[in-house]
Amino acid sequence: MPEAIETARLELRRATLADAPELVVAVRESLPDLAPWLVWATPDYDEAGCEANLREAVAGFVMRREFRYHLFSKDRRGS
């Protein structure tokens, strides 16, 4: 599996610990939409919990057990 996949509008890349700060902000901003579907999307979602989850995702990718990709809009990069 590739570590990154790019399209004209999107970059899909494997999860990394460096994603934690941006991911926490995105989850907190989206709680009303996420909470009905994801049990972990709660008001106490924090960077420590996010990092623990990301460590599992990184290990899963390296061990070829789980292939989690994060999606980033190329329009949003640098803003």
Side-chain angles (χ1 to χ4, degrees):
M1 297 294 291
E3 292 195 9
I5 301 167
E6 288 194 41
T7 70
R9 296 180 311 117
L10 299 173
E11 177 186 8
L12 291 77
R13 63 174 167 75
R14 72 178 184 92
T16 68
L17 288 175
D19 294 331
E22 187 175 3
L23 188 55
V24 169
V25 170
V27 168
R28 286 184 179 161
E29 288 177 355
S30 302
L31 276 177
D33 298 315
L34 298 175
W37 310 105
L38 303 168
V39 297
W40 52 263
T42 63
D44 61 343
Y45 184 81
D46 63 7
E47 200 161 326
C50 180
E51 286 179 359
N53 183 271
L54 287 171
R55 278 189 203 87
E56 290 178 18
V58 169
F61 201 100
V62 169
M63 296 175 73
R64 300 298 193 234
R65 275 192 331 240
E66 172 185 327
F67 300 102
R68 183 194 304 180
Y69 286 89
H70 290 176
L71 285 75
F72 297 90
S73 170
K74 288 184 175 179
D75 292 341
R76 191 163 173 248
R77 289 236 155 202
S79 55

PDB file of all heavy atoms in Angstrom, residues 36-68:
ATOM      1  N   PRO A  36     -23.345  11.268  16.668  1.00  0.00           N
ATOM      2  CA  PRO A  36     -24.371  10.230  16.489  1.00  0.00           C
ATOM      3  C   PRO A  36     -23.831   8.922  15.904  1.00  0.00           C
ATOM      4  O   PRO A  36     -24.464   7.877  16.033  1.00  0.00           O
ATOM      5  CB  PRO A  36     -25.366  10.872  15.513  1.00  0.00           C
ATOM      6  CG  PRO A  36     -25.157  12.336  15.644  1.00  0.00           C
ATOM      7  CD  PRO A  36     -23.694  12.494  15.936  1.00  0.00           C
ATOM      8  N   TRP A  37     -22.673   8.984  15.282  1.00  0.00           N
ATOM      9  CA  TRP A  37     -22.160   7.825  14.556  1.00  0.00           C
ATOM     10  C   TRP A  37     -20.895   7.214  15.163  1.00  0.00           C
ATOM     11  O   TRP A  37     -20.581   6.056  14.892  1.00  0.00           O
ATOM     12  CB  TRP A  37     -21.859   8.223  13.099  1.00  0.00           C
ATOM     13  CG  TRP A  37     -23.006   8.926  12.478  1.00  0.00           C
ATOM     14  CD1 TRP A  37     -23.111  10.264  12.216  1.00  0.00           C
ATOM     15  CD2 TRP A  37     -24.248   8.347  12.079  1.00  0.00           C
ATOM     16  NE1 TRP A  37     -24.336  10.549  11.666  1.00  0.00           N
ATOM     17  CE2 TRP A  37     -25.057   9.387  11.574  1.00  0.00           C
ATOM     18  CE3 TRP A  37     -24.760   7.056  12.090  1.00  0.00           C
ATOM     19  CZ2 TRP A  37     -26.338   9.167  11.083  1.00  0.00           C
ATOM     20  CZ3 TRP A  37     -26.043   6.842  11.604  1.00  0.00           C
ATOM     21  CH2 TRP A  37     -26.807   7.889  11.107  1.00  0.00           C
ATOM     22  N   LEU A  38     -20.160   7.984  15.929  1.00  0.00           N
ATOM     23  CA  LEU A  38     -18.863   7.529  16.426  1.00  0.00           C
ATOM     24  C   LEU A  38     -18.813   7.651  17.943  1.00  0.00           C
ATOM     25  O   LEU A  38     -18.868   8.759  18.481  1.00  0.00           O
ATOM     26  CB  LEU A  38     -17.733   8.354  15.792  1.00  0.00           C
ATOM     27  CG  LEU A  38     -17.714   8.342  14.261  1.00  0.00           C
ATOM     28  CD1 LEU A  38     -16.769   9.405  13.723  1.00  0.00           C
ATOM     29  CD2 LEU A  38     -17.324   6.973  13.750  1.00  0.00           C
ATOM     30  N   VAL A  39     -18.696   6.533  18.639  1.00  0.00           N
ATOM     31  CA  VAL A  39     -18.750   6.548  20.101  1.00  0.00           C
ATOM     32  C   VAL A  39     -17.612   7.330  20.735  1.00  0.00           C
ATOM     33  O   VAL A  39     -17.748   7.838  21.849  1.00  0.00           O
ATOM     34  CB  VAL A  39     -18.781   5.112  20.688  1.00  0.00           C
ATOM     35  CG1 VAL A  39     -20.024   4.385  20.249  1.00  0.00           C
ATOM     36  CG2 VAL A  39     -17.542   4.334  20.309  1.00  0.00           C
ATOM     37  N   TRP A  40     -16.491   7.463  20.041  1.00  0.00           N
ATOM     38  CA  TRP A  40     -15.340   8.172  20.599  1.00  0.00           C
ATOM     39  C   TRP A  40     -15.432   9.695  20.406  1.00  0.00           C
ATOM     40  O   TRP A  40     -14.639  10.430  20.980  1.00  0.00           O
ATOM     41  CB  TRP A  40     -14.037   7.651  19.991  1.00  0.00           C
ATOM     42  CG  TRP A  40     -14.044   7.631  18.491  1.00  0.00           C
ATOM     43  CD1 TRP A  40     -14.314   6.562  17.689  1.00  0.00           C
ATOM     44  CD2 TRP A  40     -13.782   8.725  17.615  1.00  0.00           C
ATOM     45  NE1 TRP A  40     -14.238   6.930  16.362  1.00  0.00           N
ATOM     46  CE2 TRP A  40     -13.909   8.262  16.290  1.00  0.00           C
ATOM     47  CE3 TRP A  40     -13.440  10.066  17.809  1.00  0.00           C
ATOM     48  CZ2 TRP A  40     -13.712   9.073  15.173  1.00  0.00           C
ATOM     49  CZ3 TRP A  40     -13.252  10.884  16.693  1.00  0.00           C
ATOM     50  CH2 TRP A  40     -13.390  10.380  15.409  1.00  0.00           C
ATOM     51  N   ALA A  41     -16.387  10.149  19.620  1.00  0.00           N
ATOM     52  CA  ALA A  41     -16.536  11.590  19.361  1.00  0.00           C
ATOM     53  C   ALA A  41     -17.346  12.215  20.492  1.00  0.00           C
ATOM     54  O   ALA A  41     -18.566  12.322  20.435  1.00  0.00           O
ATOM     55  CB  ALA A  41     -17.203  11.825  18.011  1.00  0.00           C
ATOM     56  N   THR A  42     -16.636  12.606  21.547  1.00  0.00           N
ATOM     57  CA  THR A  42     -17.253  13.175  22.741  1.00  0.00           C
ATOM     58  C   THR A  42     -16.599  14.514  23.066  1.00  0.00           C
ATOM     59  O   THR A  42     -15.497  14.799  22.595  1.00  0.00           O
ATOM     60  CB  THR A  42     -17.083  12.219  23.942  1.00  0.00           C
ATOM     61  OG1 THR A  42     -15.687  12.077  24.218  1.00  0.00           O
ATOM     62  CG2 THR A  42     -17.706  10.856  23.659  1.00  0.00           C
ATOM     63  N   PRO A  43     -17.256  15.326  23.891  1.00  0.00           N
ATOM     64  CA  PRO A  43     -16.670  16.625  24.238  1.00  0.00           C
ATOM     65  C   PRO A  43     -15.310  16.524  24.929  1.00  0.00           C
ATOM     66  O   PRO A  43     -14.534  17.475  24.899  1.00  0.00           O
ATOM     67  CB  PRO A  43     -17.708  17.235  25.184  1.00  0.00           C
ATOM     68  CG  PRO A  43     -18.992  16.590  24.801  1.00  0.00           C
ATOM     69  CD  PRO A  43     -18.618  15.183  24.397  1.00  0.00           C
ATOM     70  N   ASP A  44     -14.986  15.379  25.536  1.00  0.00           N
ATOM     71  CA  ASP A  44     -13.689  15.248  26.199  1.00  0.00           C
ATOM     72  C   ASP A  44     -12.604  14.679  25.280  1.00  0.00           C
ATOM     73  O   ASP A  44     -11.508  14.362  25.731  1.00  0.00           O
ATOM     74  CB  ASP A  44     -13.805  14.416  27.483  1.00  0.00           C
ATOM     75  CG  ASP A  44     -14.289  13.003  27.217  1.00  0.00           C
ATOM     76  OD1 ASP A  44     -14.835  12.735  26.134  1.00  0.00           O
ATOM     77  OD2 ASP A  44     -14.132  12.153  28.111  1.00  0.00           O
ATOM     78  N   TYR A  45     -12.880  14.584  23.983  1.00  0.00           N
ATOM     79  CA  TYR A  45     -11.872  14.139  23.015  1.00  0.00           C
ATOM     80  C   TYR A  45     -10.686  15.087  23.102  1.00  0.00           C
ATOM     81  O   TYR A  45     -10.833  16.300  22.994  1.00  0.00           O
ATOM     82  CB  TYR A  45     -12.479  14.174  21.609  1.00  0.00           C
ATOM     83  CG  TYR A  45     -11.576  13.643  20.524  1.00  0.00           C
ATOM     84  CD1 TYR A  45     -11.451  12.288  20.296  1.00  0.00           C
ATOM     85  CD2 TYR A  45     -10.847  14.511  19.719  1.00  0.00           C
ATOM     86  CE1 TYR A  45     -10.629  11.797  19.300  1.00  0.00           C
ATOM     87  CE2 TYR A  45     -10.022  14.030  18.722  1.00  0.00           C
ATOM     88  CZ  TYR A  45      -9.918  12.675  18.518  1.00  0.00           C
ATOM     89  OH  TYR A  45      -9.105  12.195  17.533  1.00  0.00           O
ATOM     90  N   ASP A  46      -9.491  14.535  23.351  1.00  0.00           N
ATOM     91  CA  ASP A  46      -8.320  15.387  23.547  1.00  0.00           C
ATOM     92  C   ASP A  46      -7.113  14.847  22.781  1.00  0.00           C
ATOM     93  O   ASP A  46      -7.162  13.785  22.168  1.00  0.00           O
ATOM     94  CB  ASP A  46      -7.997  15.547  25.031  1.00  0.00           C
ATOM     95  CG  ASP A  46      -7.634  14.236  25.706  1.00  0.00           C
ATOM     96  OD1 ASP A  46      -7.489  13.200  25.032  1.00  0.00           O
ATOM     97  OD2 ASP A  46      -7.490  14.248  26.939  1.00  0.00           O
ATOM     98  N   GLU A  47      -6.036  15.594  22.845  1.00  0.00           N
ATOM     99  CA  GLU A  47      -4.839  15.240  22.090  1.00  0.00           C
ATOM    100  C   GLU A  47      -4.211  13.935  22.585  1.00  0.00           C
ATOM    101  O   GLU A  47      -3.713  13.140  21.782  1.00  0.00           O
ATOM    102  CB  GLU A  47      -3.822  16.383  22.126  1.00  0.00           C
ATOM    103  CG  GLU A  47      -2.832  16.280  21.004  1.00  0.00           C
ATOM    104  CD  GLU A  47      -2.101  17.569  20.687  1.00  0.00           C
ATOM    105  OE1 GLU A  47      -2.695  18.655  20.813  1.00  0.00           O
ATOM    106  OE2 GLU A  47      -0.927  17.470  20.308  1.00  0.00           O
ATOM    107  N   ALA A  48      -4.259  13.675  23.874  1.00  0.00           N
ATOM    108  CA  ALA A  48      -3.680  12.438  24.405  1.00  0.00           C
ATOM    109  C   ALA A  48      -4.410  11.209  23.853  1.00  0.00           C
ATOM    110  O   ALA A  48      -3.785  10.243  23.408  1.00  0.00           O
ATOM    111  CB  ALA A  48      -3.709  12.431  25.930  1.00  0.00           C
ATOM    112  N   GLY A  49      -5.724  11.241  23.863  1.00  0.00           N
ATOM    113  CA  GLY A  49      -6.505  10.139  23.317  1.00  0.00           C
ATOM    114  C   GLY A  49      -6.319   9.999  21.821  1.00  0.00           C
ATOM    115  O   GLY A  49      -6.228   8.892  21.286  1.00  0.00           O
ATOM    116  N   CYS A  50      -6.240  11.126  21.157  1.00  0.00           N
ATOM    117  CA  CYS A  50      -6.011  11.135  19.715  1.00  0.00           C
ATOM    118  C   CYS A  50      -4.662  10.509  19.391  1.00  0.00           C
ATOM    119  O   CYS A  50      -4.556   9.668  18.490  1.00  0.00           O
ATOM    120  CB  CYS A  50      -6.091  12.565  19.192  1.00  0.00           C
ATOM    121  SG  CYS A  50      -5.818  12.726  17.422  1.00  0.00           S
ATOM    122  N   GLU A  51      -3.635  10.891  20.125  1.00  0.00           N
ATOM    123  CA  GLU A  51      -2.297  10.354  19.880  1.00  0.00           C
ATOM    124  C   GLU A  51      -2.252   8.851  20.124  1.00  0.00           C
ATOM    125  O   GLU A  51      -1.599   8.117  19.373  1.00  0.00           O
ATOM    126  CB  GLU A  51      -1.261  11.077  20.740  1.00  0.00           C
ATOM    127  CG  GLU A  51      -0.963  12.464  20.236  1.00  0.00           C
ATOM    128  CD  GLU A  51       0.041  13.209  21.101  1.00  0.00           C
ATOM    129  OE1 GLU A  51       0.514  12.647  22.120  1.00  0.00           O
ATOM    130  OE2 GLU A  51       0.358  14.355  20.759  1.00  0.00           O
ATOM    131  N   ALA A  52      -2.939   8.372  21.157  1.00  0.00           N
ATOM    132  CA  ALA A  52      -2.976   6.930  21.428  1.00  0.00           C
ATOM    133  C   ALA A  52      -3.614   6.196  20.252  1.00  0.00           C
ATOM    134  O   ALA A  52      -3.113   5.161  19.800  1.00  0.00           O
ATOM    135  CB  ALA A  52      -3.733   6.653  22.721  1.00  0.00           C
ATOM    136  N   ASN A  53      -4.695   6.754  19.736  1.00  0.00           N
ATOM    137  CA  ASN A  53      -5.362   6.150  18.590  1.00  0.00           C
ATOM    138  C   ASN A  53      -4.476   6.193  17.347  1.00  0.00           C
ATOM    139  O   ASN A  53      -4.412   5.234  16.573  1.00  0.00           O
ATOM    140  CB  ASN A  53      -6.696   6.861  18.341  1.00  0.00           C
ATOM    141  CG  ASN A  53      -7.460   6.237  17.215  1.00  0.00           C
ATOM    142  OD1 ASN A  53      -7.282   6.624  16.059  1.00  0.00           O
ATOM    143  ND2 ASN A  53      -8.286   5.268  17.538  1.00  0.00           N
ATOM    144  N   LEU A  54      -3.780   7.304  17.151  1.00  0.00           N
ATOM    145  CA  LEU A  54      -2.888   7.426  15.995  1.00  0.00           C
ATOM    146  C   LEU A  54      -1.722   6.443  16.085  1.00  0.00           C
ATOM    147  O   LEU A  54      -1.302   5.884  15.067  1.00  0.00           O
ATOM    148  CB  LEU A  54      -2.364   8.859  15.865  1.00  0.00           C
ATOM    149  CG  LEU A  54      -3.380   9.877  15.372  1.00  0.00           C
ATOM    150  CD1 LEU A  54      -2.823  11.286  15.500  1.00  0.00           C
ATOM    151  CD2 LEU A  54      -3.793   9.584  13.948  1.00  0.00           C
ATOM    152  N   ARG A  55      -1.210   6.202  17.291  1.00  0.00           N
ATOM    153  CA  ARG A  55      -0.137   5.211  17.451  1.00  0.00           C
ATOM    154  C   ARG A  55      -0.597   3.838  16.968  1.00  0.00           C
ATOM    155  O   ARG A  55       0.137   3.114  16.300  1.00  0.00           O
ATOM    156  CB  ARG A  55       0.317   5.125  18.907  1.00  0.00           C
ATOM    157  CG  ARG A  55       1.297   6.177  19.296  1.00  0.00           C
ATOM    158  CD  ARG A  55       1.877   5.911  20.695  1.00  0.00           C
ATOM    159  NE  ARG A  55       2.366   7.155  21.236  1.00  0.00           N
ATOM    160  CZ  ARG A  55       1.630   8.041  21.917  1.00  0.00           C
ATOM    161  NH1 ARG A  55       0.382   7.801  22.180  1.00  0.00           N
ATOM    162  NH2 ARG A  55       2.159   9.163  22.356  1.00  0.00           N
ATOM    163  N   GLU A  56      -1.831   3.478  17.309  1.00  0.00           N
ATOM    164  CA  GLU A  56      -2.395   2.208  16.851  1.00  0.00           C
ATOM    165  C   GLU A  56      -2.516   2.190  15.323  1.00  0.00           C
ATOM    166  O   GLU A  56      -2.218   1.176  14.688  1.00  0.00           O
ATOM    167  CB  GLU A  56      -3.755   1.965  17.482  1.00  0.00           C
ATOM    168  CG  GLU A  56      -3.701   1.674  18.962  1.00  0.00           C
ATOM    169  CD  GLU A  56      -5.081   1.474  19.558  1.00  0.00           C
ATOM    170  OE1 GLU A  56      -6.044   1.215  18.801  1.00  0.00           O
ATOM    171  OE2 GLU A  56      -5.190   1.568  20.786  1.00  0.00           O
ATOM    172  N   ALA A  57      -2.942   3.297  14.754  1.00  0.00           N
ATOM    173  CA  ALA A  57      -3.088   3.371  13.298  1.00  0.00           C
ATOM    174  C   ALA A  57      -1.741   3.268  12.598  1.00  0.00           C
ATOM    175  O   ALA A  57      -1.615   2.583  11.577  1.00  0.00           O
ATOM    176  CB  ALA A  57      -3.793   4.674  12.905  1.00  0.00           C
ATOM    177  N   VAL A  58      -0.726   3.930  13.149  1.00  0.00           N
ATOM    178  CA  VAL A  58       0.618   3.870  12.566  1.00  0.00           C
ATOM    179  C   VAL A  58       1.139   2.432  12.633  1.00  0.00           C
ATOM    180  O   VAL A  58       1.659   1.893  11.646  1.00  0.00           O
ATOM    181  CB  VAL A  58       1.577   4.854  13.279  1.00  0.00           C
ATOM    182  CG1 VAL A  58       3.014   4.611  12.873  1.00  0.00           C
ATOM    183  CG2 VAL A  58       1.162   6.294  12.976  1.00  0.00           C
ATOM    184  N   ALA A  59       0.995   1.791  13.780  1.00  0.00           N
ATOM    185  CA  ALA A  59       1.449   0.405  13.932  1.00  0.00           C
ATOM    186  C   ALA A  59       0.700  -0.516  12.983  1.00  0.00           C
ATOM    187  O   ALA A  59       1.295  -1.401  12.357  1.00  0.00           O
ATOM    188  CB  ALA A  59       1.275  -0.056  15.375  1.00  0.00           C
ATOM    189  N   GLY A  60      -0.603  -0.320  12.859  1.00  0.00           N
ATOM    190  CA  GLY A  60      -1.401  -1.139  11.951  1.00  0.00           C
ATOM    191  C   GLY A  60      -0.949  -1.010  10.513  1.00  0.00           C
ATOM    192  O   GLY A  60      -0.914  -1.997   9.767  1.00  0.00           O
ATOM    193  N   PHE A  61      -0.582   0.191  10.113  1.00  0.00           N
ATOM    194  CA  PHE A  61      -0.117   0.416   8.741  1.00  0.00           C
ATOM    195  C   PHE A  61       1.226  -0.265   8.519  1.00  0.00           C
ATOM    196  O   PHE A  61       1.429  -0.959   7.523  1.00  0.00           O
ATOM    197  CB  PHE A  61      -0.014   1.916   8.448  1.00  0.00           C
ATOM    198  CG  PHE A  61      -0.037   2.253   6.993  1.00  0.00           C
ATOM    199  CD1 PHE A  61      -1.197   2.700   6.390  1.00  0.00           C
ATOM    200  CD2 PHE A  61       1.103   2.137   6.213  1.00  0.00           C
ATOM    201  CE1 PHE A  61      -1.223   3.010   5.038  1.00  0.00           C
ATOM    202  CE2 PHE A  61       1.096   2.442   4.868  1.00  0.00           C
ATOM    203  CZ  PHE A  61      -0.082   2.886   4.275  1.00  0.00           C
ATOM    204  N   VAL A  62       2.139  -0.082   9.472  1.00  0.00           N
ATOM    205  CA  VAL A  62       3.475  -0.671   9.354  1.00  0.00           C
ATOM    206  C   VAL A  62       3.390  -2.196   9.317  1.00  0.00           C
ATOM    207  O   VAL A  62       4.094  -2.855   8.547  1.00  0.00           O
ATOM    208  CB  VAL A  62       4.382  -0.202  10.515  1.00  0.00           C
ATOM    209  CG1 VAL A  62       5.668  -0.996  10.578  1.00  0.00           C
ATOM    210  CG2 VAL A  62       4.675   1.287  10.380  1.00  0.00           C
ATOM    211  N   MET A  63       2.505  -2.755  10.116  1.00  0.00           N
ATOM    212  CA  MET A  63       2.366  -4.208  10.176  1.00  0.00           C
ATOM    213  C   MET A  63       1.441  -4.755   9.083  1.00  0.00           C
ATOM    214  O   MET A  63       1.193  -5.958   9.028  1.00  0.00           O
ATOM    215  CB  MET A  63       1.874  -4.613  11.565  1.00  0.00           C
ATOM    216  CG  MET A  63       2.887  -4.265  12.652  1.00  0.00           C
ATOM    217  SD  MET A  63       2.281  -4.602  14.308  1.00  0.00           S
ATOM    218  CE  MET A  63       2.355  -6.383  14.294  1.00  0.00           C
ATOM    219  N   ARG A  64       0.906  -3.846   8.270  1.00  0.00           N
ATOM    220  CA  ARG A  64       0.012  -4.220   7.163  1.00  0.00           C
ATOM    221  C   ARG A  64      -1.271  -4.898   7.643  1.00  0.00           C
ATOM    222  O   ARG A  64      -1.795  -5.796   7.019  1.00  0.00           O
ATOM    223  CB  ARG A  64       0.732  -5.129   6.158  1.00  0.00           C
ATOM    224  CG  ARG A  64       1.961  -4.497   5.533  1.00  0.00           C
ATOM    225  CD  ARG A  64       1.532  -3.270   4.761  1.00  0.00           C
ATOM    226  NE  ARG A  64       2.567  -2.760   3.873  1.00  0.00           N
ATOM    227  CZ  ARG A  64       2.999  -1.517   3.898  1.00  0.00           C
ATOM    228  NH1 ARG A  64       2.528  -0.661   4.773  1.00  0.00           N
ATOM    229  NH2 ARG A  64       3.887  -1.102   3.038  1.00  0.00           N
ATOM    230  N   ARG A  65      -1.791  -4.422   8.795  1.00  0.00           N
ATOM    231  CA  ARG A  65      -3.048  -4.921   9.361  1.00  0.00           C
ATOM    232  C   ARG A  65      -4.201  -3.972   9.073  1.00  0.00           C
ATOM    233  O   ARG A  65      -5.342  -4.390   8.984  1.00  0.00           O
ATOM    234  CB  ARG A  65      -2.941  -4.997  10.884  1.00  0.00           C
ATOM    235  CG  ARG A  65      -2.360  -6.172  11.481  1.00  0.00           C
ATOM    236  CD  ARG A  65      -2.618  -6.196  12.997  1.00  0.00           C
ATOM    237  NE  ARG A  65      -2.739  -4.882  13.595  1.00  0.00           N
ATOM    238  CZ  ARG A  65      -1.950  -4.404  14.555  1.00  0.00           C
ATOM    239  NH1 ARG A  65      -0.983  -5.142  15.027  1.00  0.00           N
ATOM    240  NH2 ARG A  65      -2.137  -3.221  15.049  1.00  0.00           N
ATOM    241  N   GLU A  66      -3.903  -2.682   9.045  1.00  0.00           N
ATOM    242  CA  GLU A  66      -4.927  -1.651   8.923  1.00  0.00           C
ATOM    243  C   GLU A  66      -4.337  -0.528   8.084  1.00  0.00           C
ATOM    244  O   GLU A  66      -3.208  -0.113   8.304  1.00  0.00           O
ATOM    245  CB  GLU A  66      -5.276  -1.125  10.326  1.00  0.00           C
ATOM    246  CG  GLU A  66      -6.169   0.075  10.337  1.00  0.00           C
ATOM    247  CD  GLU A  66      -6.369   0.628  11.746  1.00  0.00           C
ATOM    248  OE1 GLU A  66      -6.376  -0.132  12.715  1.00  0.00           O
ATOM    249  OE2 GLU A  66      -6.501   1.852  11.843  1.00  0.00           O
ATOM    250  N   PHE A  67      -5.108  -0.053   7.137  1.00  0.00           N
ATOM    251  CA  PHE A  67      -4.604   0.990   6.239  1.00  0.00           C
ATOM    252  C   PHE A  67      -5.462   2.245   6.357  1.00  0.00           C
ATOM    253  O   PHE A  67      -6.302   2.515   5.520  1.00  0.00           O
ATOM    254  CB  PHE A  67      -4.552   0.472   4.798  1.00  0.00           C
ATOM    255  CG  PHE A  67      -3.652  -0.717   4.654  1.00  0.00           C
ATOM    256  CD1 PHE A  67      -4.168  -1.994   4.577  1.00  0.00           C
ATOM    257  CD2 PHE A  67      -2.278  -0.557   4.630  1.00  0.00           C
ATOM    258  CE1 PHE A  67      -3.339  -3.096   4.465  1.00  0.00           C
ATOM    259  CE2 PHE A  67      -1.428  -1.647   4.519  1.00  0.00           C
ATOM    260  CZ  PHE A  67      -1.967  -2.919   4.438  1.00  0.00           C
ATOM    261  N   ARG A  68      -5.236   2.989   7.420  1.00  0.00           N
ATOM    262  CA  ARG A  68      -5.995   4.229   7.622  1.00  0.00           C
ATOM    263  C   ARG A  68      -5.317   5.354   6.864  1.00  0.00           C
ATOM    264  O   ARG A  68      -4.121   5.584   6.983  1.00  0.00           O
ATOM    265  CB  ARG A  68      -6.058   4.608   9.096  1.00  0.00           C
ATOM    266  CG  ARG A  68      -6.914   5.872   9.263  1.00  0.00           C
ATOM    267  CD  ARG A  68      -6.791   6.545  10.591  1.00  0.00           C
ATOM    268  NE  ARG A  68      -7.085   5.683  11.700  1.00  0.00           N
ATOM    269  CZ  ARG A  68      -7.019   6.109  12.956  1.00  0.00           C
ATOM    270  NH1 ARG A  68      -6.687   7.349  13.233  1.00  0.00           N
ATOM    271  NH2 ARG A  68      -7.270   5.277  13.939  1.00  0.00           N
TER     272      ARG A  68
END
